[in-house]
Amino acid sequence: MTDPSAPLPRPRSDLTEPPDAPQALSGALRVLQGRMLLHVSPARVGFLRPQLDAGCSGLVLCGPNALQQAKRLREAEGFNGPLLVDPGVYEVRAASEVDPFPDVSEGTFAFDDPLAVSLAEQRAAGVTAPMTPTGYLHAEDSDALKAAVRRVAALNDPQVVFAAPIDVGWLREEDSVRQLMACLRLVKGPKALMLGGQMDPLARHPRAVDHLRQIVAQVPGAALLRTDLAAFGALAAGAAFTAFGAGSRLRHVVAPGEKAKTSKKGGFSPSPHVLFPELMDFFLGKTLAERFAGAPLPVCNCAACAGERALDSFASNAGDRQARAAAHNVAVLMEWLRTLAAIAPGPARQRWWQERCLAAVDRHPLLNAQLRQPDRFKAPPQLKRWALAAPADEAAPLRVDARD
């Protein structure tokens, strides 16, 4: 492995030796360092912007009309914060050794390079930096990964964000994690991981959270986009930047050709999804109203609710409830983000995040007892794993069972 302190880079002839990597993002990308952006569909930007923290957040647009919305934000609405466009090619096509950046466009000439075209279009829309239109990287498909990395490395442009939409199976075993890290280190610019898998990908493998922390800590420029609570955990562990999905569909990637599975909180929603801060989980507003039918739900003091609204007020989609719920969710996330950003990077941040997750895990049985409904609220498996994720210099407390 390359010693990052070496004064000169060593020659490389293949994918076995990583290059000397910068310690921080450079150029225009410096503005992304340490931020948690919001991964959002263009149609929902208006719901979220008023609560967006200009000092530590920004936007990643994904979906139909993302390029047009990015241009509108820059030119017509005066948005000057960090702004990325996620081409989302991985939603419809997988990467291959022959075609790591599949062409999913219509009306272009066959000889056009999808990678070059996408990067140019994004730059023309005014993004902070363009993201590669990478296809989905199936578990341990090293040939496709290497092909994508070679193409991006050949650009020799540290201002390009390499999108790495990987199946979470890459995080299952040490060997595949080491191979993934070796490949990512070949890219000069940021590496934006996005995790693929049904429901909650990080809950699928016992070591997935630990391996994710290892990657963002040891691969300079590693970021985590289109995710959930892991946006905070990864940022605390040293990720260059992250992006929290502003909708359940944008908190993970479903492999192309697969139909997204849903829980009782998914599918058609009769009410908005609402973040319950104490439990660090999302619930339908209707579900919260039903579970607290015989008990008062605490009034929310986030910047959007301002102590005037309880979470059972989002029990339907009527009126402006969807917009108000979205504003509440973002306001709570921004509060957490400001607290995290105020803590010095390193073990202190990791400890803060672990303690917050532990408190949320512990809160579940207490709330059940208060409502006299045993096991009504159950801590999500991923939350339990973050509760075990102590800083590297500490032993993890045996408080919860990550296998649950």
Side-chain angles (χ1 to χ4, degrees):
M1 236 175 240
T2 301
D3 178 0
S5 66
L8 294 173
R10 295 178 293 155
R12 305 181 298 279
S13 59
D14 55 29
L15 289 172
T16 61
E17 297 183 41
D20 300 292
Q23 295 303 302
L25 302 182
S26 61
L29 287 170
R30 287 196 190 98
V31 72
L32 296 174
Q33 193 80 42
R35 290 178 181 257
M36 187 193 80
L37 314 177
L38 291 181
H39 219 122
V40 60
S41 64
R44 294 178 63 83
V45 170
F47 293 169
L48 311 177
R49 276 191 66 186
Q51 299 300 329
L52 198 68
D53 190 302
C56 52
S57 192
L59 295 172
V60 183
L61 304 182
C62 183
N65 304 315
L67 284 170
Q68 295 91 323
Q69 176 70 308
K71 190 171 184 178
R72 187 180 307 114
L73 283 170
R74 288 298 199 217
E75 297 180 358
E77 300 185 25
F79 181 75
N80 59 7
L83 178 63
L84 302 178
V85 167
D86 173 9
V89 170
Y90 52 80
E91 293 184 314
V92 293
R93 293 282 298 279
S96 67
E97 181 180 11
V98 175
D99 199 10
F101 305 106
D103 186 1
V104 297
S105 63
E106 296 180 1
T108 59
F109 295 106
F111 53 78
D112 286 341
D113 177 9
L115 174 59
V117 169
S118 179
L119 297 181
E121 288 177 339
Q122 292 175 59
R123 285 185 167 116
V127 297
T128 302
M131 290 179 61
T132 61
T134 318
Y136 188 82
L137 293 162
H138 285 289
E140 302 182 38
D141 187 350
S142 58
D143 290 337
L145 174 62
K146 290 176 182 178
V149 163
R150 286 192 182 100
R151 286 289 313 279
V152 178
L155 295 175
N156 197 32
D157 186 350
Q159 302 304 303
V160 170
V161 179
F162 173 47
I166 59 169
D167 188 277
V168 75
W170 278 96
L171 304 186
R172 183 188 307 160
E173 304 290 346
E174 291 285 350
D175 288 346
S176 57
V177 170
R178 282 194 293 268
Q179 184 178 40
L180 175 62
M181 291 171 62
C183 287
L184 292 176
R185 288 193 181 100
L186 281 163
V187 177
K188 285 188 174 182
K191 283 71 68 172
L193 296 172
M194 289 176 271
L195 302 181
Q198 295 286 353
M199 306 291 281
D200 181 357
L202 280 173
R204 282 176 50 184
H205 306 300
R207 296 293 310 282
V209 165
D210 289 339
H211 286 151
L212 174 63
R213 295 173 72 209
Q214 179 183 358
I215 292 169
V216 299
Q218 297 181 20
V219 177
L224 181 66
L225 274 57
R226 194 168 178 150
T227 191
D228 48 22
L229 288 177
F232 290 95
L235 205 58
F241 60 96
T242 62
F244 196 105
S248 56
R249 188 184 70 83
L250 291 172
R251 293 186 198 120
H252 67 122
V253 177
V254 176
E258 292 186 13
K259 183 178 179 180
K261 297 179 181 178
T262 59
S263 65
K264 292 180 180 179
K265 294 182 287 185
F268 172 75
S269 301
S271 60
H273 285 82
V274 181
L275 178 56
F276 195 159
E278 289 182 79
L279 302 185
M280 295 177 66
D281 197 7
F282 286 85
F283 300 88
L284 290 176
K286 185 173 185 290
T287 299
L288 291 175
E290 291 170 351
R291 293 185 184 182
F292 280 86
L297 191 65
V299 172
C300 181
N301 292 305
C302 77
C305 296
E308 299 176 354
R309 190 177 298 125
L311 300 187
D312 59 357
S313 64
F314 304 110
S316 77
N317 288 322
D320 64 348
R321 286 180 176 83
Q322 289 194 49
R324 289 194 284 108
H328 157 80
N329 295 341
V330 175
V332 173
L333 294 173
M334 293 298 109
E335 289 175 8
W336 295 354
L337 180 58
R338 284 188 286 269
T339 302
L340 178 66
I343 301 171
R349 280 190 179 182
Q350 296 172 47
R351 191 175 305 111
W352 174 83
W353 180 242
Q354 182 202 16
E355 290 174 353
R356 192 174 194 93
C357 293
L358 273 171
V361 169
D362 289 344
R363 179 61 180 150
H364 282 74
L366 294 177
L367 184 57
N368 290 337
Q370 176 185 330
L371 297 176
R372 297 181 180 179
Q373 300 180 49
D375 297 324
R376 196 64 171 130
F377 289 99
K378 297 181 179 180
Q382 188 191 151
L383 181 64
K384 293 183 178 183
R385 289 182 179 142
W386 285 113
L388 284 172
D393 59 347
E394 297 179 5
L398 300 177
R399 294 278 303 279
V400 294
D401 186 352
R403 296 171 297 179
D404 288 347

